[in-house]
Amino acid sequence: MQSNVKDRAVIVTGAASGLGRASALAFADAGARVFAVDLNEDGLAETRDLAKGEVATFATDLSDAANCQPVIDKAISQFGYLDGLCNIAGILKVMPLAKITPETWDLIFAVNVRAPLFLSQAAIPHLTGRGGTIVNIASATAFAGYAYLAGYTCSKAAIVQMTRSLAMEFIKTDLRINAIAPGGVNTPMTKSIEFAEGMERELFMRSMGVRPTAEVEQLTDIILYLSSPDNTIFHGTCLNTDDGFTAG
Ligand SMILES: NC(=O)c1ccc[n+]([C@@H]2O[C@H](COP(=O)([O-])OP(=O)(O)OC[C@H]3O[C@@H](n4cnc5c(N)ncnc54)[C@H](O)[C@@H]3O)[C@@H](O)[C@H]2O)c1
């Protein structure tokens, strides 16, 4: 998949770990100017140390909506312009219905949906008029029921619809906004899954694909392509990158 992100200034959230880190490193490797954002300051520093190219870091808690505008302001003062926003930060809570509290539900939505919305709101005035891009990370679980993931699956379905709705709102501009919906990916998020007492492992595992979990490098090429001016066709799309998970 050909992409050309050289010199493009791109914000990557969730850049301290997993898919966000891999994306930040891939952008930097391809000559982009990366503004790496995450809650985890130490993880961001590791990402910066691993990078072969330009990576500036900014630690902030995206569950607070008030922290979104400052992310864009800092990126603009760092680079002077902005070409891309990748909303990759996310949280997963595996829990039975009885254990979901209003606070947990709100936290999932604050990180997985509200932050991408308010980061987009602040970024779009800078992105339009220069072929800017937004890439959101949804999930295959947006399209299939999944035991013990009611909050997460709803948040991922919401980001698919947010992607489509903003794509329609900005269809007369040169902005391109898309999402990808991965199946299982080999990251700290998947490794951290724990089964609380009373949860039936079988109900959770039955939704797993027969194929192995993906590696982050299989997804970063697609994220770079969707962030590239070479992408002249995808807009408002959610690409299923789930190796068959939602096919049947
Ligand atoms: N791992 C999978 O199987 C999988 C599948 C589909 C979609 N996804 C999505 O991919 C994205 C990346 O997940 P990952 O697997 O790399 O997980 P990860 O846990 O390795 O990385 C998530 C990152 O988000 C950051 N983050 C969490 N809350 C934050 C907050 N309040 N403010 C700022 N940063 C915060 C974390 O610190 C972490 O660095 C997520 O949106 C996730 O939902 C993952």
Side-chain angles (χ1 to χ4, degrees):
M1 196 169 258
Q2 292 290 323
S3 59
N4 176 17
V5 294
K6 190 163 171 15
D7 296 328
R8 281 174 79 82
V10 181
I11 296 171
V12 179
T13 74
S17 176
L19 183 58
R21 168 178 285 172
S23 301
L25 296 179
F27 272 115
D29 206 20
R33 312 181 75 190
V34 179
F35 196 73
V37 179
D38 204 288
L39 185 62
N40 176 351
E41 200 166 356
D42 292 343
L44 281 177
E46 276 176 38
T47 301
R48 192 183 49 223
D49 291 347
L50 288 167
K52 292 197 194 109
E54 184 177 359
V55 174
T57 61
F58 182 53
T60 193
D61 182 356
L62 294 172
S63 70
D64 184 344
N67 291 339
C68 292
Q69 180 73 49
V71 169
I72 309 303
D73 295 344
K74 299 261 183 205
I76 291 292
S77 58
Q78 180 77 28
F79 300 128
Y81 61 96
L82 186 65
D83 298 300
L85 168 66
C86 296
N87 287 308
I88 302 182
I91 51 171
L92 173 82
K93 301 280 181 196
V94 182
M95 52 178 58
L97 174 62
K99 295 279 187 217
I100 301 174
T101 62
E103 291 75 22
T104 314
W105 182 272
D106 288 348
L107 180 63
I108 294 169
F109 270 73
V111 179
N112 293 4
V113 187
R114 193 175 64 188
L117 185 285
F118 285 108
L119 288 169
S120 299
Q121 185 188 66
I124 284 173
H126 301 281
L127 296 174
T128 48
R130 52 181 300 117
T133 59
I134 298 176
V135 179
N136 294 321
I137 306 303
S139 163
T141 65
F143 302 105
Y146 212 114
Y148 311 125
L149 283 185
Y152 183 79
T153 58
C154 288
S155 76
K156 293 301 183 179
I159 201 149
V160 173
Q161 282 302 86
M162 192 181 95
T163 303
R164 292 172 174 155
S165 297
L166 293 186
M168 292 314 298
E169 186 168 337
F170 291 94
I171 198 157
K172 288 188 173 175
T173 75
D174 60 354
L175 177 72
R176 293 196 181 278
I177 171 164
N178 294 290
I180 68 167
V185 190
N186 187 14
T187 69
M189 179 181 277
T190 31
K191 287 177 195 140
S192 71
I193 292 172
E194 283 175 7
F195 293 89
E197 209 181 308
M199 283 167 55
E200 286 184 56
R201 182 176 277 266
E202 184 205 347
L203 293 187
F204 189 82
M205 298 308 288
R206 64 183 291 198
S207 312
M208 289 288 179
V210 180
R211 298 189 178 194
T213 50
E215 298 300 327
V216 284
E217 292 75 18
Q218 293 174 266
L219 301 171
T220 52
D221 274 359
I222 300 166
I223 293 171
L224 262 64
Y225 179 72
L226 293 176
S227 304
S228 165
D230 296 340
N231 162 28
T232 57
I233 193 68
F234 291 115
H235 180 56
T237 297
C238 180
L239 290 176
N240 283 4
T241 55
D242 64 14
D243 212 2
F245 179 89
T246 47

